[in-house]
């Protein structure tokens, strides 16, 4: 009997002890579990942001093409400022009144290209030519810029506490709005809701899932750490009607999506991929591009390489075209010397020295004055 009582007592004690341990575990478990969940969420966010388009590009509206460039990093790799651009009268006035110089103060730029609706259902609406929407990030003097915009605008719309300036330019309306102290949105799309949407997206919490569908879909094809990229829907038949774009129809037999990128890894690496609907289309693009390259190299070898810039020659020699399934891929390596020549400011043009001032010619030279040297003597009449 005593043994049974001891066994029951021991069992009760163990049960009580187990319950206490279990309660302690339950009390302490949420803390490390919460830490693990937080670390996992942060890792997921970092991973998604790494593969997400840059913030200025995510603010752009839906479009048929996108272009992004990080000028801040390009200046770093170029070890200097970007070359000065030619200043026409309007740009010179803009610089004087705002203090903003694109070649010096612009850090990031993102562009959206809107094709006319007649170009295979483009996003530009009834416009007859492509329209553009942009986001610029840089060192901006906000009061001076807003003062300039107010001066040149024909009207100002108050949208949710922000001023949207409408500026008439070449028969179009360009709308401009300050998104923040260092960013500006611009659009000449005929629909005013386009720039309003850009402003609304800038007010929301930045999300790696944001951005236009075409940009999100093909940005994953852009190599990591690219300083610039372009994603473009190619409509060869329609684009051939636009001045300067006829070359697209020479390479692309059918519509495709082109992804072009550039990144710096000891040299500037260029990569262009054409995503087509079939291997036959990719093969056609690859063959045409290879034919152009062979034609160029044949012409170069026929005239010889004497006098050819070594960096330029190295760039063209690095061009390579290949096919991978339904993709046509072109790659090239731009030597650092070539990049510096393109990005650094060109040396000032040589100014021809002024000729020495000619001695003043006397009003009535004296007969006794000796004739200047080198002057031909008058002929004696026969």
């Amino acid at each position: 009997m005593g043994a049974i009582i001891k066994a029951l007592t021991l069992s009760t004690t163990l049960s009580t002890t187990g319950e206490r341990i279990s309660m302690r575990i339950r009390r302490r478990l949420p803390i490390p579990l919460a830490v693990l969940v937080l670390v996992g969420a942060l890792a997921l966010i970092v991973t998604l942001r790494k593969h997400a388009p840059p913030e200025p590009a995510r603010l752009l509206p839906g479009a048929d093409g996108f272009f992004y460039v990080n000028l801040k990093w390009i200046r770093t790799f170029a070890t200097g400022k970007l070359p000065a651009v030619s200043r026409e009268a309007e740009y010179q006035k803009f610089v004087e009144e705002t203090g903003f110089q694109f070649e010096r103060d612009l850090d990031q730029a993102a562009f959206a290209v809107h094709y006319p609706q007649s170009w295979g259902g483009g996003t530009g609406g009834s416009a007859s030519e492509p329209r553009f929407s942009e986001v610029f990030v840089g060192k901006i003097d906000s009061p001076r810029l807003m003062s300039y915009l107010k001066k040149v605008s024909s009207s100002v719309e108050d949208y949710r506490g922000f001023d949207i300036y409408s500026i008439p330019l070449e028969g179009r309306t360009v709308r401009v709005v300050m998104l923040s102290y260092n960013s500006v949105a611009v659009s000449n799309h005929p629909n005013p809701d386009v720039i309003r949407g850009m402003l609304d997206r800038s007010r929301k919490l930045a999300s790696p899932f944001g951005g236009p569908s075409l940009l999100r879909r093909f940005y994953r094809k852009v190599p990591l750490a690219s300083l610039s990229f372009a994603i473009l829907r190619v409509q060869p038949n329609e684009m051939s009607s636009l001045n300067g774009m006829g070359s697209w129809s020479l390479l692309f037999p059918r519509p495709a999506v082109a992804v072009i990128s550039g990144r710096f890894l000891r040299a500037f690496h260029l990569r262009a991929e054409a995503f087509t609907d079939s291997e036959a289309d990719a093969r056609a693009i690859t063959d045409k591009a290879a034919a152009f390259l062979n034609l160029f190299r044949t012409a170069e070898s026929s005239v010889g390489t004497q006098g050819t810039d070594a960096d330029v020659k190295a760039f063209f020699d690095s061009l390579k075209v290949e096919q991978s399934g339904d993709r046509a891929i072109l790659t090239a390596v731009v030597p650092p010397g070539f990049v510096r020549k393109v990005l650094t400011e060109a040396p000032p043009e040589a100014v021809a020295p002024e000729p020495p001032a000619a001695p003043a010619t006397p009003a009535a030279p004296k007969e006794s004055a000796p004739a200047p040297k080198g002057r031909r003597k008058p002929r004696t009449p026969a």
Side-chain angles (χ1 to χ4, degrees), residues 25-37:
I25 292 176
R26 285 199 298 268
R27 290 176 181 174
R28 295 178 180 178
L29 184 59
I31 297 178
L33 182 60
V35 173
L36 289 175
V37 171

Side-chain angles (χ1 to χ4, degrees), residues 160-189:
R160 298 187 176 181
F162 290 83
D163 291 334
I164 299 179
Y165 302 88
S166 297
I167 304 171
L169 181 64
E170 299 180 355
R172 305 176 182 180
T173 299
V174 179
R175 297 177 177 86
V176 185
V177 61
M178 288 284 301
L179 301 178
S180 65
Y181 73 96
N182 68 338
S183 61
V184 179
V186 183
S187 179
N188 64 1
H189 195 285

Side-chain angles (χ1 to χ4, degrees), residues 1 6 11 20 34 40 53 58 60 64 68 73 80 133 139 161 169 171 185 201 212 234 239 257 261 263 317 337:
M1 188 67 179
K6 289 182 180 180
S11 176
R20 292 177 180 176
R58 295 203 301 273
L60 293 172
D64 307 286
Y68 169 83
W73 281 105
S133 300
K139 305 173 184 65
L169 181 64
R201 284 187 290 277
V234 180
M239 296 171 74
V257 174
S261 61
R263 58 178 177 169
D317 289 343

Side-chain angles (χ1 to χ4, degrees), residues 147-378:
S147 175
Y148 172 81
L149 293 174
K150 187 175 182 179
K151 182 185 301 184
V152 299
S153 62
S154 59
S155 63
V156 182
E157 175 192 1
D158 182 2
Y159 179 74
R160 298 187 176 181
F162 290 83
D163 291 334
I164 299 179
Y165 302 88
S166 297
I167 304 171
L169 181 64
E170 299 180 355
R172 305 176 182 180
T173 299
V174 179
R175 297 177 177 86
V176 185
V177 61
M178 288 284 301
L179 301 178
S180 65
Y181 73 96
N182 68 338
S183 61
V184 179
V186 183
S187 179
N188 64 1
H189 195 285
N191 188 349
D193 288 336
V194 170
I195 198 164
R196 295 170 187 163
M198 298 167 69
L199 179 58
D200 290 338
R201 284 187 290 277
S202 70
R203 298 299 94 196
K204 297 178 181 178
L205 182 65
S207 169
F209 301 102
S213 59
L214 180 67
L215 178 64
R216 294 198 313 268
R217 178 183 174 188
F218 285 95
Y219 181 74
R220 67 188 67 178
K221 308 298 183 181
V222 176
L224 190 64
S226 293
L227 302 179
S228 63
F229 66 84
I231 299 172
L232 192 68
R233 276 201 316 120
V234 180
Q235 300 286 343
N237 295 330
E238 289 82 0
M239 296 171 74
S240 62
S241 63
L242 184 64
N243 293 335
M245 301 292 286
S247 57
W248 290 106
S249 60
L250 298 177
L251 284 176
F252 292 84
R254 291 182 179 83
V257 174
V259 178
I260 307 169
S261 61
R263 58 178 177 169
F264 194 88
L265 299 172
R266 295 186 179 180
F268 198 70
H269 292 253
L270 293 176
R271 182 181 180 88
E273 292 185 75
F275 294 85
T276 67
D277 293 331
S278 65
E279 293 188 9
D281 290 347
R283 189 181 309 112
I285 296 174
T286 303
D287 293 342
K288 290 180 180 180
F292 281 126
L293 287 179
N294 292 334
L295 183 63
F296 174 81
R297 286 166 178 161
T298 301
E300 183 186 32
S301 61
S302 63
V303 298
T305 58
Q306 185 175 1
T308 302
D309 187 282
D311 292 325
V312 175
K313 185 177 184 303
F315 165 69
F316 284 106
D317 289 343
S318 69
L319 286 168
K320 181 181 178 182
V321 182
E322 59 183 348
Q323 178 189 354
S324 176
D326 59 354
R327 296 177 298 153
I329 306 171
L330 183 145
T331 57
V333 179
V334 186
F338 185 78
V339 176
R340 284 192 293 269
K341 290 172 185 176
V342 173
L343 296 179
T344 55
E345 187 171 359
E349 296 181 0
V351 179
E354 297 182 359
T361 304
K366 298 180 180 180
E367 295 182 359
S368 59
K373 292 183 179 181
R375 179 174 295 179
R376 188 172 60 184
K377 294 182 179 181

